[in-house]
Amino acid sequence: MLVYRNTQEGIPPEESVSLSQLSHLPFVLMSDESVLHNLCVRQFHRENFHPSVIYTAARHRYLLSLVNSGLGVTILPKALVNTNLFPELCCKDLRGGMESLIGVVRLKHAHLSAGAEHLYEFFAQQGILTQEP
């Protein structure tokens, strides 16, 4: 999801945008040790997009404050965008969205904590898990 301040100039009017439409905008991204940073970089590479990254931040709330101050735009999952805390922020869907894969390995005779067991059961209920022989 593209996140930008409501006064940011150069945002296309469409409800969803492509990266190529954003080439003239400054970006602030999660720092390079972040999974989100790596997702963005892979998507940039797939689309041959070379953004002007002017700042990186280790915490998404700090990143949102930078965008809120008008420093640039960012890409984050919608669940991380708090418009109650930052009411000037707006979001648009990105065309050709990004996705990530998750792998779950469970040893046959290993004990899981209650939290890990709960997460495993959730994945199983959602049909996310496949069982290998």
Side-chain angles (χ1 to χ4, degrees):
M1 176 133 287
L2 175 70
V3 184
Y4 59 96
R5 185 179 167 88
N6 58 6
T7 58
Q8 177 72 49
E9 293 183 11
I11 301 294
E14 298 94 67
E15 289 200 22
S16 66
V17 295
S18 66
L19 287 175
S20 63
Q21 292 175 284
L22 308 174
S23 62
H24 60 287
L25 295 172
F27 275 76
V28 291
L29 295 177
M30 295 294 293
S31 53
D32 60 0
E33 61 270 356
S34 164
V35 171
L36 291 173
H37 177 88
N38 294 329
L39 283 171
C40 288
V41 168
R42 280 197 301 268
Q43 188 69 22
F44 296 159
H45 181 72
R46 276 193 291 271
E47 296 191 30
N48 198 26
F49 179 67
H50 304 284
S52 171
V53 178
I54 59 171
Y55 199 83
T56 61
R59 303 267 186 226
H60 78 278
R61 188 176 279 182
Y62 184 60
L63 190 68
L64 290 173
S65 71
L66 294 172
V67 173
N68 190 61
S69 70
L71 189 62
V73 300
T74 194
I75 297 173
L76 285 174
K78 187 166 183 70
L80 293 181
V81 181
N82 185 339
T83 54
N84 292 325
L85 188 58
F86 301 105
E88 293 82 17
L89 295 182
C90 300
C91 298
K92 287 187 183 268
D93 288 328
L94 282 174
R95 283 188 226 127
M98 293 182 260
E99 60 182 46
S100 179
L101 301 175
I102 186 170
V104 178
V105 177
R106 181 176 183 174
L107 300 175
K108 288 183 182 182
H109 302 292
H111 172 73
L112 292 178
S113 67
E117 184 69 41
H118 184 69
L119 181 63
Y120 187 83
E121 289 173 11
F122 172 77
F123 286 155
Q125 291 169 356
Q126 299 299 312
I128 296 170
L129 300 177
T130 60
Q131 299 226 338
E132 295 291 325

